[in-house]
Amino acid sequence: MQNDQDKKSGLARLGYIWNDWISTFIILALLLMTLLIGTGEMIHGQMLRMGERLYGDQTTGMQYSYLRAEPEKPSCDRHPDIEAQVQAQMKANAADEFASMFGAASEADVRASLMGAQQQCEEKYQFYDKAMKHLEAHPSIRTYRQVETSFFGIFKVGSENQTVLLLVMVLFTSITASLRYHHIGLRAPKSKIDYRVYSTLMILGNGLLSASVWSQYQSLLNSGVEVTAKTMAISWLWIILFVVMTIISVFQLFLVPKNAQEKGNVGLAFLSVPLYAYMSLVTGIVFTFFMDYPMGQGIYLGILVEFSGIFLNLALFIWAGMLLTQTRVMDLFLNILRPWNLAPETLTWLILIAAAIPTAYTGASGIFVIAAGAIIYKEVWNSGARRQYALAVSAMSGSLGVVIRPCLLVILISMLDSRHVTSTELFDHGIYVFWLTAFIFLGVSLILAEEKFRVNSPKVAVPGMLRACIPVIPYVIIGLAVVMFYKLALDTSINEFTAPMILPLVLIAMILFDKLFAAKHPVPVTDPKHEALVREHEKKSEFLKSHDPHGSKGFGFGGALRFATSETVGHIGALILLMALSASVGGLIERAEVVELLPTHLGNIYISLAFIALLLAIIGMTTDPFGAVILVAATIAPVAYENGIHPIHFWMIVLVAFEFGYVTPPVALNHLLTRLSVGDEEVTAADKEAKEKYTSFYFRYERWLLPIIVLFSSLVLVTYAPYIFQMFGWYKH
């Protein structure tokens, strides 16, 4: 964000208006439109059922579905002269020289055919008469029909153009992320040389993408196939996006922020470049100059088009996470645990178990880290934990939930490899992996904890816990009310497909309640007997209030909604563009046939397991989960099966190896997303605090080492334990 001095200049002021107002309201409108489209099918289904209940008649067999269009009077002759028609047909047959070749119909056959036609005509008239009589008896049908079909028309247009809606959203969010320097990189640019290297490589990366999508557009025009208006719109949206981002990067090359540091380091400057720019450079250069396939990047960007519904759902989940930061829900629920005065490690374990549920609905740990990483960081730090520990927990906050029901990633796996696994089998085994990882985390945390164990007496904790439950009741009622509205009014339960539409509405209702009724009542600290802890909690809360990247909760309802959406804009643009380029990298690997160089038989099952687990971890370090799963299903899965690895076991290894890869340098995507969510200032403060306070290597680099230790241990056990247990007869696949 620009500082106050920068905002005084005209160009900076224009950027501020775009970033904080124009793009925010456009994305808010698009997100609300996505909600309407998502719930439109549910609403329309209920309108059809309501029409049937109001206007259907079982006694006459008349259904509302028959009356959704005005009945059309039949044009056939209801009382024909059958004998005259028979004679006319027989004369025509006699004059037709071809009729005799196939056997001329007899007079009886002709009469039977004409009688059948008359019967059909009579049935049409009877239906028409019955329908018109029903309409006359129920004149309000036409009004209801007009409302229902008009709504269906609007919903249908939106549903058929979800891809265009997604790309418009990506256009505005990616441009905003570029203006804010909000794209995901290994470090944020700080010095002037950082910004110049950043902008130079962004020009090259966006330029290659612009050339690729333009090449794809020209190929479409020259294909000889009729190009639809929708396809043209998609092509032009891609072209506009990358051309505009190239122009922005050119301006940023010369207009370095005024608060940039004078001194810098060239090596560190290259770490500031967004990951998607590096992906664009690699794939663009190889596709264009080595494979003579300049449209390659544009072709593989089509994964956004193919899975537009999934990416729109991810945008809604990110929005839900930002809306959550504007409520008191997390504070109030954690107040239920605070009277127990649990050690940070125990409290964190409970938070991670709870965080697995929303992670399972989003289907990717990175999405949850962006949505809730800052909230978890604040709460863990408030509990008395080290900053480094709080950052470690935030980075792996979504890692536990990717193996449990109803994770979209597991469902995608079952779709891609339906011959070998089902989602039910994967979920049944995933729950064991979930608890294994959870208890490894608890064990490692307690072993390395500065204070081994802490808990209040139930006599002290239970009364405080019960008091803390009272403020939570309204929020529980609000959540249940929205869920029950969908269940009773729209006949829709909350699941992995409907959660993206339901959760934002739940949180908007909670924000409204907060601002109308609860704004004047601060969240209490419910452990007054521990004054030192209370003072520390208040001190940290004040600090986080002034440094929290998600802002203060002092807004009104409109301000809270605007602020949450403004934060959502940058996150959507940064993450979806990274996912799109990850798909391009996956396409490059697949097209280069690198995986086919792998040996199909490694000779030893334990060597095979180690090799495949390492390979999967490396893939997890470089690509997003959705693109990686598609690549793995097509290339590595057959190699694993050839080496005797059971399909269910293989996919459990895949999921854990990916999560291990997402917290492991050199990329460590979940750490980058944590920094994006928590803010650079907090990460820098945590590193500084660790160096000043600790001499131990572990405590200085705990935010990196703790997730690696936990997930590496889990990966080793998931990889080898089934075969070790099988040796002793304790387990069978």
Side-chain angles (χ1 to χ4, degrees), residues 354-373:
I357 298 173
T359 302
Y361 278 99
T362 60
S365 60
I367 302 297
F368 183 77
V369 170
I370 280 186

Side-chain angles (χ1 to χ4, degrees), residues 348-415:
T348 300
W349 184 65
L350 296 175
I351 292 174
L352 286 185
I353 290 175
I357 298 173
T359 302
Y361 278 99
T362 60
S365 60
I367 302 297
F368 183 77
V369 170
I370 280 186
I375 301 171
I376 291 175
Y377 170 80
K378 184 189 79 170
E379 298 304 331
V380 173
W381 188 34
N382 274 346
S383 72
R386 301 173 295 279
R387 268 183 166 141
Q388 286 273 324
Y389 182 81
L391 287 174
V393 172
S394 297
M396 64 174 298
S397 58
S399 297
L400 273 65
V402 296
V403 291
I404 62 174
R405 192 180 305 273
C407 179
L408 287 174
L409 194 60
V410 174
I411 292 173
L412 179 61
I413 290 171
S414 67
M415 293 168 58

Side-chain angles (χ1 to χ4, degrees), residues 109-122:
D109 291 338
V110 171
R111 182 177 287 104
S113 176
L114 291 171
M115 291 290 290
Q118 181 192 19
Q119 179 63 30
Q120 291 180 359
C121 182
E122 179 61 26

Side-chain angles (χ1 to χ4, degrees), residues 365 395-396 399-400 402 437 613-622 652-671 704-716 719:
S365 60
M396 64 174 298
S399 297
L400 273 65
V402 296
T437 308
L614 176 62
L615 181 61
L616 292 170
I618 293 172
I619 292 174
M621 294 177 192
T622 56
M652 290 297 106
I653 296 172
V654 169
L655 293 171
V656 179
F658 281 0
E659 292 306 317
F660 171 67
Y662 298 148
V663 298
T664 305
V667 177
L669 181 59
N670 279 10
H671 284 287
W704 300 99
L705 295 175
L706 177 61
I708 290 174
I709 291 170
V710 171
L711 290 169
F712 179 75
S713 301
S714 181
L715 177 60
V716 171
T719 302

Side-chain angles (χ1 to χ4, degrees), residues 328-620:
R328 309 191 314 157
V329 172
M330 287 290 291
D331 285 333
L332 291 171
F333 272 98
L334 285 166
N335 253 357
I336 298 174
L337 295 176
R338 286 182 183 129
W340 292 95
N341 191 26
L342 294 170
E345 291 74 20
T346 312
L347 176 65
T348 300
W349 184 65
L350 296 175
I351 292 174
L352 286 185
I353 290 175
I357 298 173
T359 302
Y361 278 99
T362 60
S365 60
I367 302 297
F368 183 77
V369 170
I370 280 186
I375 301 171
I376 291 175
Y377 170 80
K378 184 189 79 170
E379 298 304 331
V380 173
W381 188 34
N382 274 346
S383 72
R386 301 173 295 279
R387 268 183 166 141
Q388 286 273 324
Y389 182 81
L391 287 174
V393 172
S394 297
M396 64 174 298
S397 58
S399 297
L400 273 65
V402 296
V403 291
I404 62 174
R405 192 180 305 273
C407 179
L408 287 174
L409 194 60
V410 174
I411 292 173
L412 179 61
I413 290 171
S414 67
M415 293 168 58
L416 294 170
D417 198 12
S418 58
R419 291 185 303 165
H420 298 97
V421 294
T422 66
S423 59
T424 301
E425 291 173 332
L426 293 173
F427 286 133
D428 289 345
H429 287 76
I431 194 67
Y432 297 110
V433 176
F434 165 74
W435 285 114
L436 171 68
T437 308
F439 280 108
I440 289 175
F441 172 83
L442 179 62
V444 172
S445 296
L446 291 176
I447 290 171
L448 298 171
E450 292 178 296
E451 183 180 357
K452 298 301 180 184
F453 189 73
R454 186 181 74 204
V455 64
N456 271 353
S457 165
K459 292 181 179 180
V460 175
V462 171
M465 182 178 176
L466 294 176
R467 286 194 301 270
C469 287
I470 296 173
V472 174
I473 293 174
Y475 297 91
V476 175
I477 293 173
I478 289 170
L480 289 175
V482 176
V483 171
M484 291 308 296
F485 169 78
Y486 272 85
K487 178 65 178 176
L488 300 177
L490 301 179
D491 194 25
T492 301
S493 301
I494 185 168
N495 53 42
E496 65 270 26
F497 304 108
T498 60
M501 276 71 72
I502 297 176
L503 291 181
L505 294 177
V506 170
L507 290 162
I508 289 172
M510 289 180 176
I511 292 175
L512 183 61
F513 173 80
D514 266 349
K515 304 310 175 184
L516 292 179
F517 303 105
K520 296 182 180 180
H521 301 283
V523 178
V525 177
T526 55
D527 192 12
K529 290 199 172 186
H530 295 267
E531 295 181 5
L533 183 63
V534 172
R535 286 196 299 270
E536 184 67 15
H537 180 278
E538 291 173 347
K539 177 183 173 183
K540 291 178 179 178
S541 293
E542 285 301 316
F543 179 85
L544 288 165
K545 185 176 180 180
S546 60
H547 291 79
D548 186 0
H550 300 303
S552 168
K553 297 185 179 69
F555 297 115
F557 174 73
L561 193 61
R562 182 187 70 80
F563 193 90
T565 307
S566 177
E567 290 299 307
T568 303
V569 171
H571 293 321
I572 291 175
L575 189 60
I576 291 186
L577 204 56
L578 180 63
M579 287 182 170
L581 268 297
S582 294
S584 185
V585 171
L588 174 62
I589 294 171
E590 185 177 6
R591 193 174 180 84
E593 299 180 347
V594 173
V595 180
E596 293 188 7
L597 300 176
L598 298 176
T600 55
H601 290 86
L602 297 173
N604 183 291
I605 188 64
Y606 297 101
I607 296 175
S608 301
L609 288 168
F611 177 76
I612 287 176
L614 176 62
L615 181 61
L616 292 170
I618 293 172
I619 292 174

Side-chain angles (χ1 to χ4, degrees), residues 179-416:
L179 291 171
R180 295 179 181 178
Y181 294 97
H182 200 70
H183 288 291
I184 300 169
L186 295 178
R187 63 184 289 270
K190 296 178 181 178
S191 66
K192 289 185 177 180
I193 193 170
D194 289 348
Y195 283 103
R196 290 200 171 98
V197 171
Y198 178 106
S199 299
T200 300
L201 294 189
M202 284 284 281
I203 292 170
L204 296 174
N206 288 322
L208 286 169
L209 286 166
S210 301
S212 181
V213 294
W214 177 258
S215 175
Q216 184 190 14
Y217 173 69
Q218 292 296 321
S219 176
L220 279 173
L221 294 181
N222 299 325
S223 64
V225 179
E226 184 179 356
V227 182
T228 64
K230 181 178 176 181
T231 304
M232 289 287 288
I234 291 171
S235 297
W236 274 107
L237 283 170
W238 281 124
I239 293 169
I240 292 169
L241 169 62
F242 293 121
V243 169
V244 170
M245 289 179 67
T246 304
I247 294 171
I248 290 172
S249 299
V250 171
F251 275 98
Q252 289 177 335
L253 179 62
F254 298 101
L255 299 175
V256 175
K258 294 180 181 179
N259 59 354
Q261 300 171 4
E262 289 294 333
K263 295 181 180 180
N265 181 285
V266 176
L268 292 177
F270 280 98
L271 298 180
S272 303
V273 178
L275 294 178
Y276 96 86
Y278 281 123
M279 292 178 176
S280 174
L281 286 168
V282 171
T283 55
I285 290 170
V286 175
F287 277 138
T288 303
F289 300 105
F290 293 93
M291 292 187 175
D292 193 24
Y293 189 48
M295 69 184 71
Q297 289 174 302
I299 294 294
Y300 286 105
L301 286 173
I303 190 172
L304 259 71
V305 176
E306 187 176 353
F307 298 104
S308 58
I310 289 177
F311 287 102
L312 283 172
N313 286 346
L314 294 181
L316 289 173
F317 275 123
I318 294 173
W319 189 38
M322 296 303 103
L323 289 170
L324 182 62
T325 65
Q326 295 302 306
T327 71
R328 309 191 314 157
V329 172
M330 287 290 291
D331 285 333
L332 291 171
F333 272 98
L334 285 166
N335 253 357
I336 298 174
L337 295 176
R338 286 182 183 129
W340 292 95
N341 191 26
L342 294 170
E345 291 74 20
T346 312
L347 176 65
T348 300
W349 184 65
L350 296 175
I351 292 174
L352 286 185
I353 290 175
I357 298 173
T359 302
Y361 278 99
T362 60
S365 60
I367 302 297
F368 183 77
V369 170
I370 280 186
I375 301 171
I376 291 175
Y377 170 80
K378 184 189 79 170
E379 298 304 331
V380 173
W381 188 34
N382 274 346
S383 72
R386 301 173 295 279
R387 268 183 166 141
Q388 286 273 324
Y389 182 81
L391 287 174
V393 172
S394 297
M396 64 174 298
S397 58
S399 297
L400 273 65
V402 296
V403 291
I404 62 174
R405 192 180 305 273
C407 179
L408 287 174
L409 194 60
V410 174
I411 292 173
L412 179 61
I413 290 171
S414 67
M415 293 168 58
L416 294 170

